[in-house]
Protein backbone atom coordinates (compact mmCIF):
# COMPACT_ATOMS: atom_id res chain seq x y z
CA UNK A 1 0.00 0.00 0.00
CA UNK A 2 0.94 3.64 -0.40
CA UNK A 3 0.86 5.01 3.13
CA UNK A 4 1.49 8.57 4.31
CA UNK A 5 2.63 9.30 7.82
CA UNK A 6 2.78 12.59 9.70
CA UNK A 7 3.77 13.70 13.15
CA UNK A 8 4.65 16.69 15.27
CA UNK A 9 7.55 16.86 17.73
CA UNK A 10 5.81 14.45 20.11
CA UNK A 11 5.63 11.72 17.48
CA UNK A 12 9.10 11.76 15.90
CA UNK A 13 10.44 8.57 17.47
CA UNK A 14 7.35 6.47 16.80
CA UNK A 15 7.13 7.83 13.25
CA UNK A 16 10.73 6.86 12.51
CA UNK A 17 10.25 3.34 13.86
CA UNK A 18 6.94 2.90 12.04
CA UNK A 19 8.48 3.92 8.72
CA UNK A 20 11.05 1.13 9.15
CA UNK A 21 8.33 -1.34 10.15
CA UNK A 22 6.04 -0.46 7.24
CA UNK A 23 8.86 -0.43 4.70
CA UNK A 24 9.95 -3.89 5.87
CA UNK A 25 6.38 -5.07 5.29
CA UNK A 26 6.59 -3.86 1.68
CA UNK A 27 4.59 -0.65 1.95
CA UNK A 28 5.60 2.53 0.17
CA UNK A 29 5.76 5.20 2.87
CA UNK A 30 5.67 8.97 2.36
CA UNK A 31 6.77 11.04 5.33
CA UNK A 32 4.87 14.30 5.84
CA UNK A 33 6.03 14.83 9.42
CA UNK A 34 8.82 16.66 11.15
CA UNK A 35 12.11 14.91 11.82
CA UNK A 36 12.87 17.23 14.72
CA UNK A 37 11.87 17.26 18.37
CA UNK A 38 11.75 21.07 18.28
CA UNK A 39 8.26 22.31 19.14
CA UNK A 40 6.05 22.69 16.08
CA UNK A 41 2.39 22.81 15.06
CA UNK A 42 0.57 19.58 14.17
CA UNK A 43 -1.71 21.23 11.58
CA UNK A 44 1.30 22.04 9.38
CA UNK A 45 1.77 18.30 8.89
CA UNK A 46 -1.80 17.04 9.08
CA UNK A 47 -3.14 19.10 6.15
CA UNK A 48 -0.61 17.89 3.55
CA UNK A 49 -1.18 14.27 4.59
CA UNK A 50 -4.95 14.72 4.43
CA UNK A 51 -4.75 16.28 0.97
CA UNK A 52 -2.65 13.39 -0.32
CA UNK A 53 -5.07 10.77 1.02
CA UNK A 54 -8.11 12.74 -0.20
CA UNK A 55 -6.68 13.06 -3.70
CA UNK A 56 -6.13 9.32 -3.95
CA UNK A 57 -2.36 9.71 -4.26
CA UNK A 58 -2.09 7.62 -1.10
CA UNK A 59 -4.16 4.67 0.07
CA UNK A 60 -4.13 5.57 3.74
CA UNK A 61 -2.44 7.67 6.40
CA UNK A 62 -1.09 7.47 9.91
CA UNK A 63 -0.83 10.54 12.15
CA UNK A 64 0.90 10.85 15.49
CA UNK A 65 1.01 13.67 18.02
CA UNK A 66 1.04 13.83 21.80
CA UNK A 67 -2.63 13.14 22.45
CA UNK A 68 -3.70 12.42 18.87
CA UNK A 69 -6.43 15.00 19.16
CA UNK A 70 -4.73 17.88 17.38
CA UNK A 71 -4.05 15.64 14.40
CA UNK A 72 -7.54 14.11 14.42
CA UNK A 73 -9.32 17.45 14.67
CA UNK A 74 -7.27 18.90 11.82
CA UNK A 75 -7.49 15.86 9.54
CA UNK A 76 -11.25 15.63 9.94
CA UNK A 77 -11.68 19.13 8.53
CA UNK A 78 -11.09 17.47 5.15
CA UNK A 79 -14.29 16.05 3.65
CA UNK A 80 -12.59 12.97 2.28
CA UNK A 81 -10.90 12.05 5.52
CA UNK A 82 -12.14 9.79 8.28
CA UNK A 83 -9.40 10.07 10.89
CA UNK A 84 -9.91 7.83 13.90
CA UNK A 85 -8.07 8.07 17.19
CA UNK A 86 -7.04 4.73 18.68
CA UNK A 87 -5.20 3.81 21.85
CA UNK A 88 -5.56 0.02 21.90
CA UNK A 89 -5.93 -2.76 19.35
CA UNK A 90 -9.67 -3.24 19.93
CA UNK A 91 -10.28 0.38 18.94
CA UNK A 92 -7.84 0.11 16.02
CA UNK A 93 -9.87 -2.84 14.74
CA UNK A 94 -13.21 -1.07 15.16
CA UNK A 95 -12.03 2.18 13.64
CA UNK A 96 -11.46 0.29 10.38
CA UNK A 97 -14.22 -2.29 10.66
CA UNK A 98 -16.95 0.17 11.64
CA UNK A 99 -15.69 3.64 10.67
CA UNK A 100 -13.50 2.74 7.68
CA UNK A 101 -10.95 5.25 8.93
CA UNK A 102 -8.56 6.16 6.16
CA UNK A 103 -6.20 7.76 8.66
CA UNK A 104 -5.22 6.09 11.93
CA UNK A 105 -4.33 8.61 14.64
CA UNK A 106 -2.31 7.65 17.69
CA UNK A 107 -1.34 9.46 20.90
CA UNK A 108 2.42 8.99 21.28
CA UNK A 109 2.46 10.23 24.87
CA UNK A 110 -0.17 7.75 26.01
CA UNK A 111 0.70 4.49 24.26
CA UNK A 112 3.88 2.41 24.10
CA UNK A 113 5.60 1.92 20.75
CA UNK A 114 4.73 -1.76 21.05
CA UNK A 115 1.07 -0.81 21.25
CA UNK A 116 1.42 1.66 18.37
CA UNK A 117 2.88 -0.91 16.00
CA UNK A 118 0.25 -3.46 17.05
CA UNK A 119 -2.49 -0.93 16.32
CA UNK A 120 -1.04 -0.22 12.88
CA UNK A 121 -0.88 -3.94 12.10
CA UNK A 122 -4.48 -4.53 13.21
CA UNK A 123 -5.83 -1.45 11.41
CA UNK A 124 -4.10 -2.38 8.15
CA UNK A 125 -5.29 -5.98 8.20
CA UNK A 126 -8.89 -5.35 9.27
CA UNK A 127 -11.54 -5.05 6.54
CA UNK A 128 -14.36 -2.52 6.59
CA UNK A 129 -17.56 -4.39 7.46
CA UNK A 130 -19.87 -2.32 5.22
CA UNK A 131 -23.61 -2.84 5.72
CA UNK A 132 -25.06 -0.58 8.40
CA UNK A 133 -21.64 1.01 8.86
CA UNK A 134 -21.56 2.07 5.20
CA UNK A 135 -24.92 3.78 5.70
CA UNK A 136 -23.61 5.53 8.79
CA UNK A 137 -20.43 6.83 7.24
CA UNK A 138 -22.39 7.98 4.16
CA UNK A 139 -24.17 10.45 6.48
CA UNK A 140 -20.97 12.07 7.75
CA UNK A 141 -20.04 14.50 4.92
CA UNK A 142 -21.61 17.97 5.03
CA UNK A 143 -21.60 18.43 1.27
C1 LIG B 1 2.27 19.09 21.73
O1 LIG B 1 2.75 19.49 22.98
C2 LIG B 1 0.86 18.60 21.81
O2 LIG B 1 0.01 19.65 22.06
C3 LIG B 1 0.48 17.91 20.55
O3 LIG B 1 1.37 16.88 20.28
C4 LIG B 1 -0.89 17.27 20.57
O4 LIG B 1 -1.09 16.50 21.72
C5 LIG B 1 -2.01 18.16 20.33
O5 LIG B 1 -3.18 17.79 20.26
Amino acid sequence: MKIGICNDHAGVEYKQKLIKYLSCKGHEVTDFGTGSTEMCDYADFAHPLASAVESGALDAGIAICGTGNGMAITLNKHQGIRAGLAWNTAIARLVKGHNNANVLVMPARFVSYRMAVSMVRVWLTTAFEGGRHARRISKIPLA
Side-chain angles (χ1 to χ4, degrees):
M1 286 176 73
K2 290 183 179 174
I3 300 174
I5 191 163
C6 77
N7 62 285
D8 70 359
H9 52 287
V12 178
E13 187 192 336
Y14 286 14
K15 185 272 300 282
Q16 288 168 342
K17 290 179 176 173
L18 283 171
I19 289 176
K20 284 187 189 154
Y21 168 79
L22 291 164
S23 301
C24 282
K25 295 286 177 191
H27 298 289
E28 190 182 309
V29 186
T30 305
D31 182 3
F32 292 86
T34 179
S36 166
T37 53
E38 289 290 309
M39 274 206 290
C40 59
D41 303 333
Y42 48 79
D44 292 336
F45 310 101
H47 285 304
L49 171 71
S51 297
V53 174
E54 256 188 327
S55 73
L58 298 175
D59 300 312
I62 295 168
I64 311 161
C65 67
T67 63
N69 279 314
M71 287 291 184
I73 291 166
T74 309
L75 290 159
N76 281 314
K77 291 289 180 193
H78 293 249
Q79 289 283 31
I81 297 298
R82 288 178 304 282
L85 179 62
W87 55 94
N88 63 41
T89 52
I91 295 168
R93 184 174 296 110
L94 289 167
V95 87
K96 175 64 84 58
H98 288 188
N99 310 114
N100 203 17
N102 52 10
V103 183
L104 175 68
V105 187
M106 298 185 291
R109 290 184 176 144
F110 297 89
V111 297
S112 64
Y113 175 71
R114 194 184 166 91
M115 176 57 73
V117 75
S118 295
M119 288 193 285
V120 167
R121 180 176 45 74
V122 165
W123 173 69
L124 285 173
T125 55
T126 297
F128 177 49
E129 293 177 25
R132 69 188 187 282
H133 302 296
R135 184 185 70 241
R136 289 167 185 166
I137 67 171
S138 78
K139 294 181 178 181
I140 296 172
L142 290 170

